[in-house]
């Protein structure tokens, strides 16, 4: 731990005492504070829907924040990167088990699959709902970080045993190892997610491909599997139409959202007679994106002020899918710039941490996680300003949602843990280099003294 500085203030002494990347710590703490403020002000409709009070929702959010920060600190103090690598290799199997559990769906005692928004996406464990896709994002990034490192070092016991058999010699080729350990798991997870959400499939699948790309897998190995992913997506769309929507029903939902986004909302509304059920259905569908745009357009430079949002009474999920619109409405362009700078800074800081890492696992994990967090954030913002159809992706560490907050807390804990180890490594190298310089100076001074002695 770093020494405390007198008269520096408790906050700066606290920050000085933290190890790992200080900028990432600052970004995390600011995001957490924004989350508490935003949830406190944006949830009147949630309180009505759940027959509770906003005070109870704030208490619940404070509890989730506390739990998330405990997870951050616990993982941050995990200093053994080798052990972290060993645990990461189980990420795919954990994701596979959870995705199959909700795809079937299954019920085992107090553990059961739960439907959310007309699709089975969560697992209830003793009443606590865990959103499977949120944890899949983080676990698969960590698994792929391990897989990239293992393939580069050829530390693949299963593939090497198969290659030694009389029939499995083809597993000795690198392309088959990529299929077994990297692209096979990516395609498997993507197909299982497709049953519950097309947008999550595209986003999570894209993040997984980007992770292995930045991990050092050459594009020539990546492209054939990207083509296979496109073919599988097309096949699922074909099955949807062939089964008249009975299979892969979320494809229809995605197509409806894309179609609705491409149309003028008022034009689609006026196609139906006012007062009819069809008119009300269309009104309900367009109310959220239109109201989100109204929230942004009315904000101005400084916003309406804390607690003065009007669209939070109109948009039922303002505190989740349209959190950026809410922040802009209450805090204006200044608030929007703050949020953008935070996520952009995380992306930039991640690139600096990667340079300090000396293992493929560390580099891939850091790059994949910062791209996941910032990528989801910027996609959320673009959708809020009407530059894409609704995907249901929240604003990381700010939007309401227990599973999302806890999953991204895990991601921040891993980033801070690896940055802590990388910083210690760099400090040690710096100290060793400094010691060499000092010894050289001492030798040089000694030689100078000897020359002086001989001259005299």
């Amino acid at each position: 731990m770093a020494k405390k500085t007198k008269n520096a203030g408790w906050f700066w002494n606290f920050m000085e005492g933290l190890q790992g990347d200080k900028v990432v710590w600052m970004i995390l703490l600011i995001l957490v504070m924004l989350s508490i403020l935003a949830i406190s002000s944006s949830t009147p409709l949630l309180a009505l829907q759940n027959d509770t009070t906003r005070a109870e929702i704030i208490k619940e959010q404070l509890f989730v924040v506390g739990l998330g920060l405990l997870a951050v600190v616990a993982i941050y103090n995990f200093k053994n990167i080798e052990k972290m690598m060993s645990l990461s290799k189980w990420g795919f199997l954990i994701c596979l088990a959870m995705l199959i559990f909700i795809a079937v769906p299954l019920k085992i005692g107090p553990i059961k699959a739960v439907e959310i928004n007309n699709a089975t996406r969560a697992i209830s464990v003793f009443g606590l709902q865990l959103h499977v896709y949120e944890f899949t994002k983080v676990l698969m990034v960590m698994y792929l970080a391990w897989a990239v490192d293992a393939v580069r070092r050829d530390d693949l016991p299963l593939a090497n045993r198969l290659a030694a058999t009389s029939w499995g010699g083809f597993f000795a080729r690198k392309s088959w190892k990529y299929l077994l350990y990297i692209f096979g798991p990516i395609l498997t997870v993507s197909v299982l997610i497709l049953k519950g959400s097309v947008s999550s499939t595209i986003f999570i699948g894209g993040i997984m491909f980007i992770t292995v790309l930045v991990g050092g897998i050459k594009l020539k190995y990546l492209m054939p599997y990207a083509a296979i992913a496109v073919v599988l997506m097309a096949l699922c769309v074909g099955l949807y139409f062939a089964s008249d929507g009975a299979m892969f029903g979320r494809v229809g939902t995605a197509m409806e959202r894309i179609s609705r986004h491409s149309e003028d909302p008022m034009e689609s509304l006026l196609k139906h007679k006012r007062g009819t059920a069809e008119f009300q259905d269309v009104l309900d569908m367009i109310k959220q994106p239109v109201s989100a745009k109204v929230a942004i357009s009315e904000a101005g430079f400084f916003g309406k002020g804390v607690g003065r949002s009007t669209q939070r009474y109109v948009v039922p999920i303002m505190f989740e899918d349209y959190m950026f619109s809410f922040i802009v409405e209450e805090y204006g362009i200044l608030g929007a710039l703050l949020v953008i700078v935070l996520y952009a800074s995380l992306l930039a800081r991640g690139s600096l941490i990667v340079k300090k890492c000396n293992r493929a696992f560390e580099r891939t994990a850091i790059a994949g996680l910062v791209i996941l967090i910032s990528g989801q954030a910027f996609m959320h913002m673009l959708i809020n300003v009407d530059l894409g159809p609704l995907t249901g992706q929240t604003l990381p560490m700010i939007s309401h949602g227990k599973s999302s907050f806890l999953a991204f807390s895990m991601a921040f804990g891993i980033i801070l843990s690896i940055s802590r180890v990388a910083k210690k490594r760099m400090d040690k190298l710096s100290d060793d280099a400094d010691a060499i310089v000092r010894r050289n100076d001492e030798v040089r001074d000694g030689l100078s003294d000897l020359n002086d002695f001989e001259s005299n």
Side-chain angles (χ1 to χ4, degrees), residues 130-279:
L130 301 176
H131 200 304
V132 172
Y133 300 161
E134 298 297 335
F135 292 100
T136 296
K137 298 171 187 176
V138 178
L139 291 174
M140 282 305 296
V141 167
M142 295 305 295
Y143 166 78
L144 291 171
W146 168 81
V148 167
D149 185 84
V151 169
R152 289 168 70 101
R153 294 184 293 107
D154 198 27
D155 185 15
L156 307 169
L158 175 60
N160 292 330
R161 280 198 297 269
L162 291 173
T165 62
S166 58
W167 55 270
F170 54 87
F171 279 106
R173 295 201 295 268
K174 184 170 286 189
S175 57
W176 280 94
K177 292 176 180 178
Y178 283 151
L179 175 61
L180 182 62
Y181 286 92
I182 296 176
F183 299 113
I186 289 176
L187 295 175
T188 302
V189 166
S190 298
V191 170
L192 287 171
I193 294 174
L194 186 59
K195 188 176 185 295
S197 174
V198 174
S199 59
S200 293
T201 302
I202 295 171
F203 176 72
I204 297 174
I207 290 295
M208 290 190 291
F209 272 106
I210 293 171
T211 298
V212 297
L213 186 62
V214 299
I217 303 299
K218 293 180 180 179
L219 197 59
K220 69 177 183 179
Y221 292 109
L222 187 64
M223 291 308 296
Y225 295 103
I228 292 172
V230 173
V231 171
L232 286 174
M233 180 68 75
L235 179 62
C236 293
V237 173
L239 288 172
Y240 166 78
F241 284 109
S243 64
D244 198 23
M247 298 179 67
F248 296 103
R250 300 305 296 182
V251 171
T253 304
M255 295 177 68
E256 182 185 348
R257 286 179 177 176
I258 294 170
S259 175
R260 192 164 65 238
H261 179 262
S262 62
E263 293 180 357
D264 180 0
M266 292 307 298
E267 182 180 331
S268 60
L269 182 65
L270 295 175
K271 288 179 181 177
H272 306 282
K273 186 178 179 180
R274 186 182 294 274
T276 62
E278 291 81 5
F279 181 91

